[in-house]
Amino acid sequence: MKFKIFLFILLVLLIGIGYYLTAGYYSKGERAGTISKLSERGYVFKTYEGVLNEGGYSGETGSLTPRYFEFSCKVDSTITKLQKGLKTGERVTLKYSEKFFQFPWNGDTKYFIDDVEFITPPPAPIEVLKPKVDTVRVQAAKSDSTL
């Protein structure tokens, strides 16, 4: 009887650890850039895999060197936002969570997108133009009005 209870507790513990490793996450964060690729992949378990071009400047070489961030996504509402960002080419901020391990049924990466925010550029400053006053005409108008 004690052996059966021990096996049951061990089985529940292993299932709990397995669930935590597949559903839990190691870290959360945000990355900004433009989406350069988005595709649906997988033989049995379909996920969307994408690439975010973060841009970048290399201080060592003094040149622009693009940095790429590969990610996976399974949530339909987020996939719709990713497709819109790909089509429009707008800058986006991807909110992601990093899983402990990469499992074949979860996608090709450890980074899963939770939400997408579109970055709106700041409005261009509006320059207020003051009318130029021609002092000669103003003086001429004053002298004509006094007559």
Side-chain angles (χ1 to χ4, degrees), residues 24-86:
Y25 60 89
Y26 173 71
S27 70
K28 283 186 166 256
E30 297 180 359
R31 297 215 182 193
T34 56
I35 299 172
S36 60
K37 176 186 159 189
L38 186 67
S39 62
E40 185 179 23
R41 298 182 62 184
Y43 294 110
V44 177
F45 305 101
K46 301 291 185 186
T47 58
Y48 276 81
E49 308 297 323
V51 175
L52 179 77
N53 183 356
E54 295 179 288
Y57 174 74
S58 174
E60 294 175 4
T61 62
S63 64
L64 290 174
T65 306
R67 289 189 319 248
Y68 298 108
F69 173 67
E70 296 182 356
F71 60 87
S72 301
C73 185
K74 295 192 289 189
V75 182
D76 290 338
S77 61
T78 307
I79 292 169
T80 305
K81 291 178 183 179
L82 289 170
Q83 289 171 337
K84 179 185 174 194
L86 178 66

Side-chain angles (χ1 to χ4, degrees), residues 81 98 134:
K81 291 178 183 179
E98 179 183 359
D134 190 5

